[in-house]
């Protein structure tokens, strides 16, 4: 939605093309300066909205925050392509951009849009404006106005964005004709490019300050529940008294040291989070296949051997050793699968799944019973991956196979030749970009004698469904929090 308190009290709903609907929800805009004060932006607006190329929405997480390098670098590539249409040079961002907070990312991106068009940058993120912006982000609305020391202020709010670059793209390049914005069509242009005009407003050349805040899970909109909410403020500091928590000078110093390279597409040899596949299958060291019994085996000797092999594989990748909860052997196989999958993710800095749900367990059970990947989980999930394993002794054994023995000549039925698209597909699924937050959930199941493949008849059959729900998940049959409570006190 968009409202203008100084022009009218009308509020209208925004609509977006199918490609962008998952990433952009409602936008609210408040302009506190009079219309004749130069509200028109400093650069000519594009003739129409620009579809992102590459379409970074296919790379970034569908719900919540995503500051992973593949997401940011692909979004940067789309921004550079859009800027090229205007004759604007590529955007230069500091190499550590992914380590900045989302408000800091937005601040740097907005200043780049301004500076590269000859406009003065905002000096920094002002603590007072950040506090106001946070109230807007948390309440899913425009931030409240600051005091009289800020005589010229504009504020914005947007939901369903992954990071600061995503918000910048939507405001700068997807705010005009062909975007679906009400009042902005081939015949009507009054509603076009309002957000872009705010970003590029001629505030003057000195004492410019900005505020920004991000809530990764505040959104309550249908289809985006549990998604993000971002608010921003652009202002003149008339009192010259702003206390900055992050400055443009700091960003420039970091950019001088090294810059973030754009990315046209994720290499086929990497997961959606940019983690590379092994060069080849990793034979287990120690060879737990000669230690574990045929069929199910949760004895300490078997589990310790599989854990040793996992940590040998971790060492080859420079990943910290895996530590299991003290009661791992006593967990059911589905619970073991949750723990092992989550540990492979969190040991690489990725967000865990919140737990197992009854609905996704039922879905996974279909895979286990039919010795195949589970079927589509249904319309309540905006992203999912599924995995199946036959003949594993326990949940950790299954995850070893998916993560480290999934290439050519591994038994992966989707990798029957070198370079096939299904090679390392199970690993890519586990390490996929699911984002973060309460929408991440998982299902897992076991059929102790469900394998039907030739030579493995009556062997174990295990399956998992990894998903992002369209709303926060609250009820779990077994939660990650329960698993964490059983970890040794000195574990990472």
């Amino acid at each position: 939605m968009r409202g203008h308190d100084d022009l009218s009290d009308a509020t209208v709903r925004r609509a977006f093309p199918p490609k962008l609907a998952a990433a952009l929800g409602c936008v609210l805009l408040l302009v506190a300066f009079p219309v004749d004060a130069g509200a028109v932006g400093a650069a000519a607006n594009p003739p129409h909205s620009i579809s992102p190329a590459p379409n970074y929405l296919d790379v970034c997480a569908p719900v919540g925050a995503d500051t992973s390098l593949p997401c940011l670098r692909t979004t940067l590539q789309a921004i550079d392509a859009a800027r090229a249409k205007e004759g604007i040079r590529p955007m230069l961002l500091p190499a550590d951009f992914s380590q900045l907070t989302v408000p800091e990312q937005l601040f740097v991106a907005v200043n780049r849009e301004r500076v590269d068009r000859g406009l003065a940058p905002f000096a920094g993120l002002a603590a007072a404006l950040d506090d106001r912006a946070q109230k807007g982000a948390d309440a899913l609305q425009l931030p409240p106005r600051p005091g009289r020391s800020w005589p010229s202020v504009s504020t914005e709010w947007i939901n369903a964005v992954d990071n600061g670059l995503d918000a910048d793209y939507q405001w700068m390049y997807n705010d005009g004709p062909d975007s679906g914005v009400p009042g902005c069509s081939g015949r009507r242009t009054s509603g076009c490019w309002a957000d872009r005009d705010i970003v590029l407003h001629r505030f003057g050349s000195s004492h410019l300050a900005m505020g920004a805040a991000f809530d990764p899970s505040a959104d309550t909109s249908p289809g985006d529940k549990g998604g993000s909410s971002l608010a921003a403020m652009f202002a003149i500091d008339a009192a010259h008294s702003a206390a900055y928590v992050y400055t443009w000078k700091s960003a420039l110093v970091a950019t001088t040291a090294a810059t973030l390279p754009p990315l046209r597409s994720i290499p086929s040899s990497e997961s959606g989070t940019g983690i590379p596949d092994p060069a080849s299958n990793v034979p287990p060291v120690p060879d737990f296949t000669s230690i574990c019994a045929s069929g199910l085996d949760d004895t300490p000797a078997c589990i310790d051997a599989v854990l040793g092999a996992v940590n040998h594989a971790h060492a080859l990748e420079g990943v910290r050793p895996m530590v299991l909860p003290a009661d791992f052997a006593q967990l059911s196989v589905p619970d073991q699968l949750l723990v092992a999958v989550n540990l492979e993710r969190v040991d690489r800095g990725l967000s865990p799944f919140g737990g197992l749900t009854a609905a996704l367990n039922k879905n996974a059970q279909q895979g286990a019973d039919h010795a195949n990947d589970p079927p589509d989980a249904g319309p309540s999930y905006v992203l999912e991956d599924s995995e199946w394993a036959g003949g594993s002794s326990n949940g950790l054994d299954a995850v070893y196979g998916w993560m480290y023995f999934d290439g050519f000549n591994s038994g992966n039925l989707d990798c029957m030749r070198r370079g096939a698209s299904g090679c390392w597909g199970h690993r890519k699924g586990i390490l996929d970009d699911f984002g973060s937050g309460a929408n991440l959930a998982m299902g897992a199941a076991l059929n102790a004698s469900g394998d039907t493949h030739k030579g493995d008849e009556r062997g174990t059959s295990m399956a998992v469904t990894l998903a992002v729900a369209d709303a926060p998940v609250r009820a779990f049959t077994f939660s990650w929090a329960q698993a964490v409570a059983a970890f040794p006190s000195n574990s990472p």
Side-chain angles (χ1 to χ4, degrees), residues 128-374:
L129 296 182
D130 283 351
D131 289 343
R132 297 275 177 160
Q134 192 66 60
K135 292 178 180 178
D138 293 343
L140 305 176
Q141 63 185 19
L142 292 171
R145 293 172 178 266
R148 294 183 178 180
S149 60
W150 310 91
S152 183
V153 180
S154 66
T155 66
E156 299 203 58
W157 174 81
I158 187 171
N159 70 335
V161 290
D162 291 290
N163 49 62
L165 277 188
D166 185 5
D168 176 75
Y169 190 96
Q170 303 305 332
W171 287 341
M172 287 292 297
Y173 306 107
N174 187 52
D175 200 46
D178 304 326
S179 69
V181 177
C184 179
S185 64
R187 295 183 178 181
R188 296 184 59 193
T189 60
S190 60
C192 297
W193 302 113
D195 301 307
R196 177 183 170 103
D197 288 345
I198 290 299
V199 173
L200 300 182
H201 179 69
R202 295 183 184 275
F203 285 93
S205 60
S206 62
H207 307 296
L208 305 187
M210 182 174 160
F214 183 70
D215 190 319
S217 58
D219 195 2
T220 57
S221 305
D224 292 318
K225 290 183 178 179
S228 63
S229 172
L230 183 149
M233 306 185 76
F234 310 102
I236 295 176
D237 177 19
H240 307 171
S241 60
Y244 296 121
V245 296
Y246 183 72
T247 67
W248 181 232
K249 288 183 179 180
S250 298
L252 288 178
V253 169
T255 305
T256 301
T259 58
L260 182 73
L263 180 68
R264 293 184 182 275
S265 63
I266 297 177
S268 60
S269 60
E270 294 181 3
S271 71
T273 47
I275 298 171
D277 301 333
S280 59
N281 295 317
V282 181
V285 178
D287 183 4
F288 60 81
T289 62
S290 64
I291 298 174
C292 297
S294 177
L296 292 175
D297 188 347
D298 58 8
T299 62
C302 174
I303 289 178
D304 286 349
V306 181
L307 180 61
V310 167
N311 283 334
H312 170 257
H314 275 211
L316 295 177
E317 294 186 36
V319 177
R320 69 187 182 189
M322 178 182 287
V323 178
L324 297 175
D327 63 349
F328 186 82
Q330 285 76 51
L331 296 178
S332 67
V333 167
D335 293 352
Q336 290 178 352
L337 287 166
L338 170 75
V339 171
V341 166
N342 270 350
L343 284 173
E344 292 291 8
R345 289 179 60 82
V346 300
D347 285 346
R348 290 172 172 81
L350 305 179
S351 296
F353 296 93
L356 302 177
T357 70
L360 290 177
N361 287 343
K362 183 177 180 180
N363 176 262
Q365 192 67 57
Q366 294 182 61
D369 291 344
H370 293 90
N372 208 337
D373 292 339

Side-chain angles (χ1 to χ4, degrees), residues 48-60:
H48 53 75
S49 292
I50 302 171
S51 297
N55 187 0
Y56 65 87
L57 301 179
D58 291 338
V59 175
C60 301

Side-chain angles (χ1 to χ4, degrees), residues 267-271 275-281 387 401-429:
S268 60
S269 60
E270 294 181 3
S271 71
I275 298 171
D277 301 333
S280 59
N281 295 317
E387 321 270 344
W402 291 333
M403 287 290 298
Y404 307 107
F405 217 82
D406 199 44
F408 174 68
N409 203 28
S410 67
N412 179 351
L413 300 179
D414 295 322
C415 184
M416 303 307 290
R417 60 177 176 81
R418 295 185 188 278
S421 60
C423 295
W424 299 105
H426 299 89
R427 176 185 170 100
K428 287 184 171 73

